Amino acid sequence: MPSLFSPLALTRVLTTLPLAQGDVDYQVARRTDPDLLPGLLTRGKAVVILVRRGRVAVPRGQSLLAPRRAGRIRLATIPAAYLADALGLDRSGPAPEALYYLGSRQGADYLALDLGLLEGTCPPGAGEAGRLVDKGFDWVGLDGFAPHASPRQVGLATSAVCLSNWQTGQRFCPLCGSPVRAAQAGWAQTCVGRGVSHTLFPRVEPAVITSIVDADDRLLLQHNRAWKEGLVSVCAGFVEAGENLEHAARREAMEEVGVPVGELRYMGSQPWPFPASLMVAFKGRALDTAVRTDGEETLSARWVSRDDLVALIARGDMELPGRATIARSMIQEWYGSDL
Ligand SMILES: [Zn+2]
């Protein structure tokens, strides 16, 4: 697959987004095989990465060095055979709940061990495994990891963090309140409360984000109350219950900056697991340039030309969102190159 066009991209507008990368085949059909995880562990060929509370493990020192050099930051891995020993698993044993199957690529199978879940649920021997593997690593968030890692590694890390956020955040069934168990190699949960088994799947919270432009191709940038001084971005918000994406984009624009938006064009999407969002990006054409911020969430907003933006950044009066955000990619797409 040419790197010009990510396999996760639908359009050629935002061709590669920091958290929408990866080339691992999910192998969905294998997830329900009860032998999958014990088999991968004891055959010892799987690659195991580590996730805990929204962060992934990298070899100690990489989190400081990687951003300063051209080279890439890499995930720490541990041998599956070591993990099988540490967890006391044999081939007939139960699959540990804290292990997620991420898929395979070029003959390699990838697993994630969730130390956060291990610490919370602890099958026999897991406490010991947690202590053993929780050494010698730096822990980095996806926003720090993604801009400096390869597409495959970003894909693995993003899947692991999304599953971990959900599995650790939901330990009781939202339908009946009974405890749940991880199922389908981490991609589902099973609840057997009240004697009736049901399967639960991760909830994803869609949010729309819109770069609003006017007839002169100026971009509307806004500053929100919760952000540090000078930080600006484009218009964004969560999709309401029963709403479609287009309505959400136009409603948020009206609420935050008072601008009616006409034509909307889909640009791309990326997961944003903080903790469970999916960011869906549009470019919207303003029908009116008068700006009226809500004064609550959005404190200020202004139209900028490309020259304006460069000058504001150079003077230190304006700062753009981080490189892992879809907002940064959208602003750069409008500008025409990296900023
Ligand atoms: Zn239930």
Side-chain angles (χ1 to χ4, degrees):
M1 186 71 69
S3 61
L4 281 175
F5 194 50
S6 161
L8 300 182
L10 175 63
T11 76
R12 286 189 178 272
V13 182
L14 299 174
T15 51
T16 52
L17 284 160
L19 296 189
Q21 301 188 70
D23 57 1
V24 166
D25 180 349
Y26 284 9
Q27 306 243 329
V28 174
R30 295 175 72 191
R31 293 176 188 165
T32 50
D33 175 0
D35 183 50
L36 174 67
L37 295 178
L40 287 175
L41 283 179
T42 51
R43 281 193 290 276
K45 292 180 72 175
V47 176
V48 185
I49 69 167
L50 302 170
V51 60
R52 186 172 71 174
R53 299 185 192 131
R55 293 171 177 263
V56 289
V58 299
R60 181 149 288 168
Q62 279 210 4
S63 63
L64 294 172
L65 292 173
R68 299 187 196 154
R69 59 182 192 198
R72 287 193 151 158
I73 190 169
R74 287 187 59 81
L75 292 164
T77 60
I78 55 175
Y82 164 77
L83 188 62
D85 287 343
L87 286 175
L89 288 176
D90 58 35
R91 205 168 188 287
S92 60
E97 273 212 76
L99 206 54
Y100 312 140
Y101 177 63
L102 303 179
S104 95
R105 178 75 182 175
Q106 293 170 337
D109 286 298
Y110 294 95
L111 299 170
L113 178 66
D114 188 342
L115 289 183
L117 194 61
L118 208 57
E119 288 156 0
T121 57
C122 275
E128 180 64 19
R131 280 190 289 278
L132 283 172
V133 296
D134 187 19
K135 292 176 180 173
F137 306 116
D138 288 342
W139 294 88
V140 295
L142 285 179
D143 47 351
F145 179 76
H148 309 292
S150 74
R152 183 174 305 170
Q153 297 249 308
V154 172
L156 293 169
T158 303
S159 294
V161 168
C162 287
L163 291 174
S164 174
N165 285 353
W166 178 59
Q167 292 283 2
T168 56
Q170 176 172 294
R171 302 307 304 152
F172 296 92
C173 175
L175 301 176
C176 72
S178 303
V180 294
R181 283 188 57 80
Q184 298 186 21
W187 295 81
Q189 291 181 338
T190 299
C191 167
V192 291
R194 299 176 186 175
V196 181
S197 172
H198 39 263
T199 303
L200 305 166
F201 293 98
R203 285 188 58 175
V204 177
E205 297 160 1
V208 289
I209 182 163
T210 310
S211 50
I212 303 171
V213 295
D214 70 4
D216 298 323
D217 206 23
R218 294 182 304 169
L219 179 67
L220 187 57
L221 291 173
Q222 63 187 70
H223 174 73
N224 285 16
R225 182 184 295 277
W227 300 345
K228 69 175 180 177
E229 191 177 347
L231 182 64
V232 294
S233 189
V234 294
C235 182
F238 283 108
V239 178
E240 300 271 354
E243 186 176 46
N244 74 358
L245 300 173
E246 304 88 298
H247 187 275
R250 294 190 175 100
R251 175 184 52 75
E252 286 288 346
M254 189 56 78
E255 287 176 7
E256 294 189 349
V257 291
V259 171
V261 169
E263 180 194 1
L264 281 167
R265 187 160 55 95
Y266 176 71
M267 298 180 80
S269 68
Q270 76 166 0
W272 191 245
F274 301 93
S277 294
L278 173 67
M279 305 299 299
V280 185
F282 295 94
K283 182 174 282 189
R285 184 73 60 182
L287 299 175
D288 186 341
T289 56
V291 172
R292 179 181 42 77
T293 58
D294 61 23
E296 297 289 328
E297 180 185 351
T298 310
L299 289 187
S300 61
R302 62 177 292 180
W303 295 99
V304 295
S305 68
R306 291 168 179 78
D307 288 344
D308 293 337
L309 183 62
V310 169
L312 286 160
I313 293 172
R315 287 208 306 267
D317 292 337
M318 207 173 251
E319 183 181 337
L320 299 182
R323 296 201 174 275
T325 63
I326 196 168
R328 177 65 166 257
S329 295
M330 295 166 73
I331 293 168
Q332 291 178 163
E333 186 276 337
W334 164 81
Y335 182 75
S337 69
D338 283 358
L339 284 161

